[in-house]
């Protein structure tokens, strides 16, 4: 199966280049507190779980689970082994969480146990891990109609070492009901020794298919039908199964490859791993870097196009018109081609070859002043915009006010100067470059690969139960939400929403533990390890006439920032958002914040 190198296509219509900042609102957020009868089943990391992967997978685990089919209903597991549900109908009359299932086994007897994990497989099924290696598949009935009904276990089996559940789905094919469950484990790497470089641990993803094996008319009997194993060297940022189990998508800093099927070793898994990591020319999974870079001033645009080494002027194909450009090499498809964002003056434009490996094109704008948001109309995903030092300084000067926590009703008064040294730490990206890979469910081979580069992963959220979970990435200063579309190979990841400047804002929150958003994208929420919650609302029309004093223009919309402080000194363990409410879980309390009416 051919592999497609892919790039995420930003929808420019969802970006707001005129966004200024969030205005701190002193309007209080109603907070309702539910005291728990028993503490949440928190599992602290042991001395043997010392790696960054352990912290990412288990130390930062979200103990609170929201029902995608019924968003006003949240679930968690307490220290007594009970799965508890809180369904909100009226904020001012919150009841106590109701038990829907009790795990018969005692997971605390397992020394290496992990946190219990829950995944909603469908509107009537759920999958549960006890943290000690046992997997339950539970028939819940229609949870929307009756959230207090007891769940019925129709599958319970030991699946090896302790694991957490990342994702699960349910489907029916040819009259056979099946459930696909994706498990995560961090295990000692048997191939490593004490002197080897690295942590000595490897990460495994286990894709399990459980099907009803009973014939028609017989009592339902579910058994494991297939087990597929992937291995990698880092905990994935994102991992989810496609509907009907047709594929798997994984975003991680290190590549994953399928190694086993039903316990049998696949042929040449090491060779496949080398292909995944290779960046040499001609590699099947070569990661695509930008083909061209561009900068601009108020007068001109400079484009640097990467060319084969040793290129001469006779090899160059260059065509420039007032509104179109085409740059390439003789005998090959153009490297840069399309309609320019705005007209240029072909007579005043020029190109030169630099270092025999790049072509520098200078385009003279016909109209001085307006800055281009993109080089080519609609964008081609093959280039990258680079800011000059002067432009970067101006941008930082504007963005420094986005991260203020000063309770100042007049944010324009007494603005501090920009501290460039602090901004460097705030804007730092991970050294490793992450990849997003789509694997085919039949061949187990990668079909699409995206180099995420410096687009920092922020969070994963379930928006629509009929679709795969969405994921949020930092893009420049913004946070962009992406929805996987496995049924659209040409546009497999769609940009569906933007949270202005959230990428920049969240980087300044050193104690941030969780981030999320609701299905309607009306706000984004950040939760610190203790007490504080930050709400960043989308811009909304203002009721009164406001003017920007510095620019002398009327302000039509304002984006509000709100801060809430929880009355608890316990660590935040869970964080989930709905269109109306934000749920925050600590070891002894469940807080409900009324965000929207």
């Amino acid at each position: 199966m051919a592999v497609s190198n892919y790039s995420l296509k930003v929808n420019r219509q969802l970006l707001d280049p005129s966004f200024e900042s969030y205005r701190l609102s002193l309007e209080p957020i109603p907070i309702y507190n539910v005291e728990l009868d028993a503490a949440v089943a928190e599992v602290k990391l042991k001395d043997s779980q010392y790696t960054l992967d352990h912290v990412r997978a288990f130390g930062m685990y979200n103990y609170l689970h929201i029902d995608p089919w019924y968003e006003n209903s949240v679930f968690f597991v307490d220290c007594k082994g009970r799965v508890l549900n809180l369904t909100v109908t009226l904020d001012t009359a919150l009841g106590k969480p109701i038990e829907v299932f009790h795990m018969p086994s005692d997971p605390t007897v397992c020394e290496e146990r992990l946190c219990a994990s829950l995944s909603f497989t469908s509107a009537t099924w759920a999958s549960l891990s006890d943290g000690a290696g046992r997997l339950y598949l539970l028939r819940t009935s229609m949870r929307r109609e009756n959230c207090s009904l007891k769940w019925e276990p129709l599958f319970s089996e030991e699946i090896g070492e302790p694991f957490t559940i990342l994702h699960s789905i349910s489907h029916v094919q040819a009259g056979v009901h099946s459930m696909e469950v994706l498990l995560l484990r961090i295990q000692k790497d048997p191939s490593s020794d004490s002197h080897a470089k690295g942590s000595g641990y490897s990460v495994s993803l286990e894709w399990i298919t459980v099907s009803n094996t009973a014939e028609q008319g017989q009592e339902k009997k579910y058994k494991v039908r297939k087990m597929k194993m992937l291995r990698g060297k880092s905990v994935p940022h994102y991992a989810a199964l496609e509907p009907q189990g047709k594929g798997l998508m994984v975003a991680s800093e290190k590549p994953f490859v399928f190694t086993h099927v039903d316990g049998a070793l696949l042929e040449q898994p090491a060779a496949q791993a080398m292909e995944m990591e290779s960046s040499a020319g001609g590699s099947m999974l070569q990661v695509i870097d930008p083909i061209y870079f561009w900068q601009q001033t108020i007068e001109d645009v400079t484009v640097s196009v990467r060319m084969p080494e040793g290129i001469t002027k006779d090899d160059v194909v260059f065509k420039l018109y007032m509104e179109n450009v085409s740059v390439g090499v003789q005998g090959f498809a153009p490297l840069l081609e399309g309609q320019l964002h705005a007209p240029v003056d072909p007579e005043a434009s020029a190109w030169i070859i630099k270092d025999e490996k790049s072509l520098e094109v200078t385009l003279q704008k016909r109209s001085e002043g307006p800055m281009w948001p993109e080089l080519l109309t609609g964008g081609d995903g093959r280039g990258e915009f680079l800011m000059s030092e002067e432009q970067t300084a101006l941008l930082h000067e504007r963005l420094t006010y986005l991260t203020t926590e000063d309770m100042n009703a007049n944010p324009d008064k007494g603005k501090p100067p920009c501290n460039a040294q602090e901004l460097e730490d705030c804007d730092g990206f991970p050294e490793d470059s992450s990849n997003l890979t789509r694997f085919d469910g039949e061949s187990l081979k990668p079909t699409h690969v995206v180099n995420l580069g410096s687009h920092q992963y922020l969070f994963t959220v379930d928006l629509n139960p009929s679709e795969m979970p969405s994921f949020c990435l930092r893009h420049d200063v913004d946070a962009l939400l992406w929805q996987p579309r496995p049924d659209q190979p040409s546009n497999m990841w769609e940009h569906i929403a933007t949270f202005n400047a959230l990428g920049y804002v969240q980087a300044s929150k050193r104690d941030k533990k969780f981030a999320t958003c609701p299905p309607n994208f009306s706000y984004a929420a950040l939760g610190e390890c203790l007490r504080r919650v930050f709400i960043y609302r989308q811009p909304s029309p203002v009721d009164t006439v406001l003017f920007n004093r510095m620019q002398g223009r009327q302000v039509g919309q304002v984006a509000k920032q709100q801060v809430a402080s929880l009355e608890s000194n316990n660590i935040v363990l869970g964080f989930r958002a709905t269109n109306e409410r934000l749920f925050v879980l600590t070891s002894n309390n469940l807080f409900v914040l009324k965000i929207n009416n």
Side-chain angles (χ1 to χ4, degrees), residues 156-294:
S156 174
E157 191 171 309
E158 293 284 347
I159 310 291
E161 295 182 26
F163 58 86
T164 56
I165 301 174
L166 295 182
H167 191 224
S168 62
I169 60 170
S170 173
H171 59 90
V172 177
Q173 290 182 341
V176 177
H177 178 222
S178 298
M179 285 168 281
E180 316 279 349
V181 188
L182 189 62
L183 315 178
L184 169 70
R185 289 189 179 95
I186 300 179
Q187 301 167 304
K188 273 286 188 181
D189 193 345
S191 62
S192 66
D193 55 54
S194 58
H195 302 289
K197 183 179 178 181
S199 65
Y201 286 88
S202 65
V203 180
S204 66
L205 297 177
E206 193 162 355
W207 179 356
I208 295 179
T209 303
V210 179
S211 300
N212 179 19
T213 58
E215 296 182 1
Q216 190 171 3
Q218 295 181 343
E219 185 179 353
K220 291 185 177 180
K221 187 176 183 180
Y222 288 86
K223 289 186 177 180
V224 175
R225 184 170 59 85
K226 205 166 196 62
M227 302 178 72
K228 309 167 189 174
M229 177 80 72
L230 300 91
R231 288 197 180 274
K233 288 291 186 180
S234 66
V235 168
H237 298 304
Y238 174 92
L241 298 163
E242 295 180 5
Q244 308 296 318
K246 293 181 179 180
L248 168 68
M249 294 185 187
V250 179
S252 60
E253 293 175 2
K254 307 288 184 174
F256 276 81
V257 293
F258 279 93
T259 58
H260 295 76
V261 173
D262 295 332
L265 182 67
L266 294 178
E267 293 183 3
Q268 298 179 339
Q272 187 182 356
M274 289 177 63
E275 289 178 348
M276 290 285 288
E277 291 179 325
S278 174
S279 61
S283 170
M284 183 177 65
L285 288 177
Q286 180 182 359
V287 174
I288 289 186
D289 292 323
I291 292 177
Y292 63 87
F293 301 86
W294 65 287

Side-chain angles (χ1 to χ4, degrees), residues 246-448:
K246 293 181 179 180
L248 168 68
M249 294 185 187
V250 179
S252 60
E253 293 175 2
K254 307 288 184 174
F256 276 81
V257 293
F258 279 93
T259 58
H260 295 76
V261 173
D262 295 332
L265 182 67
L266 294 178
E267 293 183 3
Q268 298 179 339
Q272 187 182 356
M274 289 177 63
E275 289 178 348
M276 290 285 288
E277 291 179 325
S278 174
S279 61
S283 170
M284 183 177 65
L285 288 177
Q286 180 182 359
V287 174
I288 289 186
D289 292 323
I291 292 177
Y292 63 87
F293 301 86
W294 65 287
Q295 292 179 300
Q296 64 175 319
T297 67
I298 60 173
E299 299 176 346
D300 56 40
V301 176
T302 302
V303 186
S304 180
V305 185
R306 296 168 57 188
M307 299 292 237
E309 196 163 346
I311 191 79
T312 66
K313 65 177 184 179
D314 296 330
D315 300 322
V316 176
V317 177
F318 180 83
K319 298 178 182 178
L320 178 63
Y321 306 97
M322 186 182 301
E323 296 182 346
N324 292 275
V325 66
S326 177
V327 179
V329 180
Q330 291 279 4
F332 295 92
L335 298 171
L336 170 64
E337 184 178 42
Q339 181 180 348
L340 296 167
H341 174 74
V344 298
D345 184 354
E347 297 296 329
S349 304
W351 61 269
I352 60 171
I353 295 175
K354 299 193 69 174
D355 302 326
E356 297 186 348
K357 59 181 180 182
S358 67
L359 188 75
E360 186 173 288
V361 182
T362 303
L363 304 174
Q364 187 71 34
K365 296 180 179 179
R366 291 188 69 89
S367 300
E368 292 185 7
M371 302 299 280
W372 295 6
E374 56 188 356
L375 179 63
L376 301 179
T377 302
D380 62 354
R382 307 173 77 182
E384 182 176 323
F385 175 65
L386 300 177
M387 286 189 179
S388 65
E389 293 182 3
E390 294 81 3
Q391 291 170 333
T392 303
L394 288 172
L395 181 62
H396 282 175
E397 186 176 351
R398 289 182 62 190
L399 294 178
T400 186
Y401 313 118
L402 293 171
T403 61
T404 180
E405 295 171 18
D406 184 17
M407 306 294 279
N408 178 11
N410 184 7
D412 292 327
K413 182 179 180 181
K415 291 183 177 179
C418 177
N419 187 329
Q421 192 161 3
E422 290 183 4
L423 288 173
E424 287 177 5
D425 293 335
C426 175
D427 267 337
F429 289 110
E431 292 184 2
D432 291 323
S433 177
S434 300
N435 283 342
L436 173 60
T437 306
R438 188 263 177 185
F439 294 91
D440 180 71
E442 292 294 330
S443 67
L444 308 185
K445 297 294 180 68
T447 61
H448 294 71

Side-chain angles (χ1 to χ4, degrees), residues 1 12 56 88 100 109 136 148 156 167-168 206 228 255 287 313 333 341 369 373 414 416 447 493 551 564 590 595:
M1 181 175 294
R12 300 289 173 181
R56 286 177 174 172
V88 179
V100 294
V109 299
Y136 297 92
S148 61
S156 174
H167 191 224
S168 62
E206 193 162 355
K228 309 167 189 174
V287 174
K313 65 177 184 179
H341 174 74
T447 61
W493 295 280
Q551 300 180 6
L590 178 56
I595 307 299

